[in-house]
Amino acid sequence: MSNRTSKQALVWVLHGPNLNLLGSREPTHYGRDTLETINQRLQARAASENVLLETFQSNAEHLLIERIHGAPAAGVDFIVFNPAAFTHTSVALRDALAAVAVPFIEVHLSNVHAREAFRRHSYFSDLAVGVVSGLGAQSYELALEYALRALAHKP
Ligand code: DQA
């Protein structure tokens, strides 16, 4: 899956359902950047700190769950996760993150607190190291900055 050198930190960026449509999907909420553009920027930033960053998007809850289950064996140090609509529905994804105990930041492009009431509840926020919401693609970038700093100071 990757050419990881020993000691190189590994960050996973996971994207939930419908985020494959970024660029054309409701741009007033989600902006015009495609998922590929966002991923490329994140990868370049991580590489500049000699951190390996891998991305994964799925519209299927079980594929995200299975991916998270594999995080410890893959040696993942940090997860940046936009669960998208699963934020508001998925006890199963929450339980997967609790089970693997890999630190993660919850990310949203839109400000979920300024939209419909059902978006205000997240099954992830209380388990997350932090939540970044409403800053567009920069939500991912700022989450990654935190992760990079945390990993640089990891003993
Ligand atoms: C989202 C917000 C969710 O409420 C929504 O279902 C998404 C994207 C965001 O990035 O703003 O699909 O997670």
Side-chain angles (χ1 to χ4, degrees):
M1 196 152 102
S2 62
N3 298 316
R4 188 180 187 186
T5 60
S6 60
K7 287 194 166 184
Q8 196 176 27
L10 175 60
V11 173
W12 274 3
V13 180
L14 305 180
H15 308 278
N18 302 308
L19 293 171
N20 54 310
L21 301 180
L22 286 182
S24 61
R25 176 192 180 200
E26 298 183 87
T28 49
H29 285 307
Y30 304 119
R32 291 261 174 216
D33 287 342
T34 63
L35 192 61
E36 197 185 344
T37 305
I38 292 171
N39 284 340
Q40 280 169 357
R41 276 206 300 267
L42 296 174
Q43 241 140 19
R45 176 66 188 116
S48 75
E49 300 287 338
N50 193 30
V51 168
L52 187 63
L53 183 141
E54 294 173 349
T55 62
F56 177 73
Q57 187 276 331
S58 182
N59 298 318
E61 190 175 23
H62 74 283
L63 293 182
L64 289 162
I65 291 168
E66 283 163 11
R67 185 54 67 119
I68 290 165
H69 288 177
V76 175
D77 297 291
F78 218 103
I79 295 174
V80 173
F81 188 23
N82 184 348
F86 291 143
T87 307
H88 321 294
T89 63
S90 184
V91 176
L93 269 169
R94 172 196 170 87
D95 286 352
L97 284 160
V100 300
V102 174
F104 74 96
I105 299 180
E106 176 185 341
V107 161
H108 302 284
L109 295 140
S110 65
N111 179 352
V112 288
H113 298 285
R115 300 181 60 191
E116 302 95 325
F118 68 82
R119 293 187 203 275
R120 286 184 210 138
H121 178 259
S122 165
Y123 279 103
F124 300 88
S125 302
D126 63 309
L127 292 183
V129 174
V131 181
V132 189
S133 179
L135 306 180
Q138 280 190 75
S139 294
Y140 286 101
E141 290 163 19
L142 294 172
L144 178 60
E145 287 308 317
Y146 181 93
L148 293 176
R149 201 173 296 186
L151 292 172
H153 292 105
K154 205 175 156 182

